[in-house]
Amino acid sequence: MKLDVSTHKLFGYGSTLRTAKRLTEEAVRVVGRSVAGRMPDVKVVLTGERNLAEVATAAEWETAGCTDKRVQSRALRNAKRLARDTAGRVIPLADGGVLIVINVDQHPNEATFAITVVHELVHAMQTSRKDVRERLIAGLRHDLGVEKQSRRWDREHERCLEAEEKEAYGREYLASRVVPSAAA
């Protein structure tokens, strides 16, 4: 398991990057012990609200194999609309790892950052489970119009996403082990 923490178009955030590296390394250990699955290679990118959408959609396009410029621009517009309320996102990568994009504007202190990192790392662990990665990639391909799925498959996919989200929210209490002041 490799862990890489970096920034995208953030200048003057050196101390934030160092803190994020320290907290992420500890969160990987805590989540790895507590959640079923195997931690994949994780790349964490810290960025602002303006650049969150472009980093996330670029990774989604690469994973889904989307080359249609009209579809890409529509997906980018939708992602920009949702970026203000997004604290973090997990995108499965084509090479088997995951990309975690975190909006630094949503995290005023270490405690809120720890909660988000733990939440997103739980999602990363879920991608190592049987058939989850394939389903997520098929969902990306469906959403981008590369390969359409049936309505029945789409409903089942939504149910699985809700269950995974519920599990991730249920494990946010682990952030208190990463930062004692992060009582979720």
Side-chain angles (χ1 to χ4, degrees):
M1 198 273 325
K2 291 191 301 187
L3 176 65
D4 179 34
V5 181
S6 62
T7 60
H8 177 75
K9 293 187 180 178
L10 281 181
F11 306 105
Y13 280 81
S15 63
T16 303
L17 179 61
R18 285 188 294 278
T19 303
K21 284 182 181 181
R22 181 176 47 81
L23 291 175
T24 304
E25 288 171 359
E26 183 61 29
V28 165
R29 280 193 285 280
V30 169
V31 172
R33 291 184 201 132
S34 303
V35 179
R38 194 176 122 295
M39 186 67 74
D41 292 343
V42 177
K43 181 175 182 180
V44 179
V45 176
L46 306 174
T47 188
E49 177 183 310
R50 291 182 172 180
N51 300 310
L52 179 102
E54 77 179 37
V55 172
T57 54
E60 288 175 347
W61 300 334
E62 182 181 336
T63 300
C66 178
T67 57
D68 187 357
K69 296 296 183 191
R70 289 177 300 159
V71 173
Q72 289 178 352
S73 64
R74 183 174 52 237
L76 185 59
R77 277 194 310 273
N78 291 338
K80 283 181 179 178
R81 203 172 305 125
L82 299 173
R84 178 174 295 159
D85 300 326
T86 304
R89 291 195 52 201
V90 173
I91 297 113
L93 297 174
D95 65 359
V98 294
L99 172 69
I100 299 176
V101 185
I102 296 180
N103 183 355
V104 294
D105 298 333
Q106 293 275 332
H107 303 95
N109 55 36
E110 290 182 358
T112 56
F113 182 79
I115 291 169
T116 301
V117 166
V118 166
H119 181 96
E120 302 304 335
L121 285 172
V122 170
H123 286 311
M125 290 287 282
Q126 292 168 345
T127 63
S128 70
R129 296 177 186 164
K130 184 178 179 184
D131 298 330
V132 173
R133 174 180 282 299
E134 292 78 18
R135 181 178 47 80
L136 290 174
I137 292 173
L140 280 174
R141 292 175 64 82
H142 173 76
D143 291 343
L144 292 172
V146 175
E147 180 182 348
K148 288 293 186 182
Q149 301 289 338
S150 67
R151 280 188 249 156
R152 181 178 184 174
W153 182 92
D154 196 34
R155 285 192 304 271
E156 180 62 29
H157 177 63
E158 289 297 322
R159 277 194 290 275
C160 290
L161 288 177
E162 287 176 19
E164 290 164 358
E165 195 65 32
K166 189 174 183 179
E167 178 188 6
Y169 278 118
R171 297 299 177 123
E172 285 183 356
Y173 73 90
L174 295 172
S176 63
R177 296 183 190 169
V178 177
V179 177
S181 63

